[in-house]
Amino acid sequence: EAGVVQSPRYKIIEKKQPVAFWCNPISGHNTLYWYLQNLGQGPELLIRYENEEAVDDSQLPKDRFSAERLKGVDSTLKIQPAELGDSAVYLCASSRTAGNTIYFGEGSWLTVV
Amino acid sequence: AQSVTQLGSHVSVSEGALVLLRCNYSSSVPPYLFWYVQYPNQGLQLLLKYTSAATLVKGINGFEAEFKKSETSFHLTKPSAHMSDAAEYFCAVSEMDSSYKLIFGSGTRLLVRP
């Protein structure tokens, strides 16, 4: 069974430029998460989807961040415009349903210069 | 509010020695507890989880953790460290309420000396 797939793995952009990350969860997993992991810290939840509905986006900085999961499968996280402080790892994760074990992808490593 | 404290940002052990990584939590209700491992340039992999069944939980790669309610602890142990255990380890808590949110500690980097 394939795991959570994320792309790109690494991205370097200049500040004020846009960037997008893509995630394909494990097949059959209805719940999808985006986490932010700053250097030397644990991951923090940005947004959680149940199928195509964002049920918890309280930690998503909505002035520059947006996310979508239009068909309840793949998801995209976008930052526009990027700031230097956005340099971090963006982790996508999924679970069969909320409350089940959460499986993480390898992350998208963003560097803003 | 839930929180997780991992004592020691870095732990160094000799190969073959006991590994002990400490985790204390605060939660208003009985929590679910997790240990994840992150190898360099990789995502997080679940090592083990406690979900109110047996207090001693066995995980992958020879790791285990014991839930101690009186001490609000969930320390991770392995009897004999291997070089391949060198990684970052994260403890996490979830109250399994409607939020199903995982709250992570800041992580402990395990170094294994030959």
Side-chain angles (χ1 to χ4, degrees):
Chain A
E1 179 181 89
V4 177
V5 179
Q6 293 187 244
S7 68
R9 287 293 317 279
Y10 304 95
K11 190 76 174 178
I12 301 175
I13 62 171
E14 294 183 343
K15 62 181 180 182
K16 300 184 181 180
Q17 294 301 305
V19 64
F21 304 112
W22 174 81
C23 172
N24 183 244
I26 294 172
S27 178
H29 282 198
N30 297 321
T31 307
L32 184 145
Y33 312 77
W34 283 101
Y35 280 82
L36 165 68
Q37 185 178 18
N38 286 305
L39 185 65
Q41 298 182 25
E44 299 176 358
L45 181 67
L46 288 173
I47 189 168
R48 173 169 68 96
Y49 283 93
E50 294 293 339
N51 299 303
E52 63 274 11
E53 181 182 1
V55 296
D56 183 357
D57 62 355
S58 57
Q59 301 304 310
L60 189 72
K62 298 180 183 61
D63 56 336
R64 297 184 301 108
F65 287 65
S66 64
E68 61 183 15
R69 192 185 185 200
L70 295 176
K71 296 183 179 180
V73 181
D74 296 3
S75 177
T76 303
L77 177 69
K78 298 179 180 178
I79 307 174
Q80 182 170 11
E83 298 179 352
L84 295 177
D86 296 331
S87 296
V89 181
Y90 293 84
L91 293 165
C92 181
S94 70
S95 61
R96 190 166 299 280
T97 60
N100 289 113
T101 299
I102 297 174
Y103 297 90
F104 285 82
E106 293 188 316
S108 292
W109 300 64
L110 174 66
T111 301
V112 182
V113 298
Chain B
Q2 305 167 83
S3 67
V4 175
T5 302
Q6 291 185 242
L7 296 177
S9 59
H10 292 79
V11 170
S12 181
V13 301
S14 298
E15 190 173 20
L18 171 71
V19 175
L20 171 60
L21 304 182
R22 299 178 186 275
C23 173
N24 288 88
Y25 68 91
S26 66
S27 176
S28 57
V29 297
Y32 286 10
L33 294 157
F34 306 81
W35 276 99
Y36 281 85
V37 60
Q38 186 174 36
Y39 297 102
N41 298 326
Q42 295 188 26
L44 280 76
Q45 179 182 4
L46 180 67
L47 271 179
L48 50 81
K49 64 180 179 180
Y50 166 77
T51 56
S52 73
T55 57
L56 182 63
V57 182
K58 295 186 182 300
I60 62 172
N61 301 338
F63 285 93
E64 62 182 35
E66 186 173 8
F67 172 68
K68 291 187 177 180
K69 183 178 180 179
S70 60
E71 299 178 7
T72 60
S73 68
F74 191 57
H75 302 329
L76 181 71
T77 60
K78 182 175 180 177
S80 176
H82 192 273
M83 296 296 291
S84 61
D85 294 328
E88 187 95 20
Y89 291 80
F90 292 94
C91 182
V93 64
S94 174
E95 290 181 352
M96 288 299 164
D97 57 9
S98 59
S99 71
Y100 298 109
K101 184 182 295 186
L102 275 180
I103 305 297
F104 285 88
S106 57
T108 298
R109 182 166 297 279
L110 177 64
L111 308 172
V112 182
R113 304 186 302 273

